[in-house]
Amino acid sequence: AALKKSAVDYMHPEVGVTTTDGACFGRNYFGRASAAETEDDEFADERAEVLEEAAALKKLAMDYMHPEVGVAATDATVFGRNYFSRPSAPEVEDMEEAEERALVLAEAAALKKSAVDYMHPEVGVTTTDGACFGRNYFGRASAAETEDDEFADERAEVLEEAAALKKLAMDYMHPEV
């Protein structure tokens, strides 16, 4: 039981120590009128600074160990002025940089259009520039003559006969079908 009490006291220092034993009460040798001066002003100031730093470190340790608590800020120095959108703010970007940025964005848009044209050939090309229309090499007067109507009809008949012969050969070679 004593070991358990010692472990609980060690794990919960915030509880503090309580006692009612008469032997624990003693005489205060430091607060009596005849006591000697115990601390100089320099040491007292330094001690106060050390205690203040220890309190700040304790607060940081608590913030680190308990992030669920969150941050509460009521200090006036936390709320600052916006130096970038005020009327007297200096110009952020000069004309050269703005023109360069506009040029880069235009080039990026042109590259995007080229990439879309390349990746989607089904969309087709539309243009209204007169220089884009070329010469028709098939309908000009000096073009080689194409097949006459007589030869085209004769060729169609030959192809029909060849298709009929192919069907007959397939029927002969595969009677099971």
Side-chain angles (χ1 to χ4, degrees):
L3 187 61
K4 180 179 178 183
K5 182 181 182 322
S6 178
V8 169
D9 290 343
Y10 180 77
M11 292 301 293
H12 298 286
E14 67 272 6
V15 173
V17 177
T18 57
T19 183
T20 58
D21 189 8
C24 291
F25 300 105
R27 184 173 177 194
N28 185 355
Y29 292 98
F30 302 104
R32 67 184 196 280
S34 63
E37 185 74 26
T38 57
E39 192 172 51
D40 291 338
D41 288 340
E42 293 175 11
F43 294 127
D45 293 341
E46 188 170 336
R47 187 163 144 277
E49 287 179 16
V50 168
L51 289 174
E52 186 178 315
E53 289 176 1
L57 284 173
K58 179 181 177 183
K59 183 182 180 316
L60 285 173
M62 290 299 292
D63 291 345
Y64 181 79
M65 292 302 292
H66 298 287
E68 68 275 3
V69 172
V71 178
T74 57
D75 190 9
T77 58
V78 173
F79 304 103
R81 181 176 175 195
N82 186 354
Y83 291 98
F84 301 105
S85 63
R86 69 184 196 278
S88 62
E91 187 68 30
V92 176
E93 183 177 49
D94 60 354
M95 288 302 289
E96 273 185 32
E97 291 176 353
E99 290 171 359
E100 180 73 20
R101 184 160 53 106
L103 181 65
V104 168
L105 289 175
E107 288 176 358
L111 283 172
K112 179 181 177 185
K113 184 181 180 314
S114 293
V116 168
D117 291 345
Y118 181 78
M119 293 301 293
H120 298 286
E122 70 274 4
V123 173
V125 178
T126 57
T127 183
T128 56
D129 190 9
C132 291
F133 300 104
R135 184 173 175 190
N136 185 356
Y137 290 99
F138 303 103
R140 67 185 198 281
S142 62
E145 286 199 25
T146 58
E147 196 173 32
D148 290 337
D149 288 340
E150 297 173 12
F151 293 122
D153 292 340
E154 188 175 340
R155 185 163 51 80
E157 288 176 15
V158 168
L159 288 174
E160 268 182 36
E161 289 175 5
L165 284 173
K166 180 180 177 183
K167 183 177 181 321
L168 187 63
M170 290 297 288
D171 291 344
Y172 181 76
M173 291 299 290
H174 299 286
E176 68 275 356
V177 177

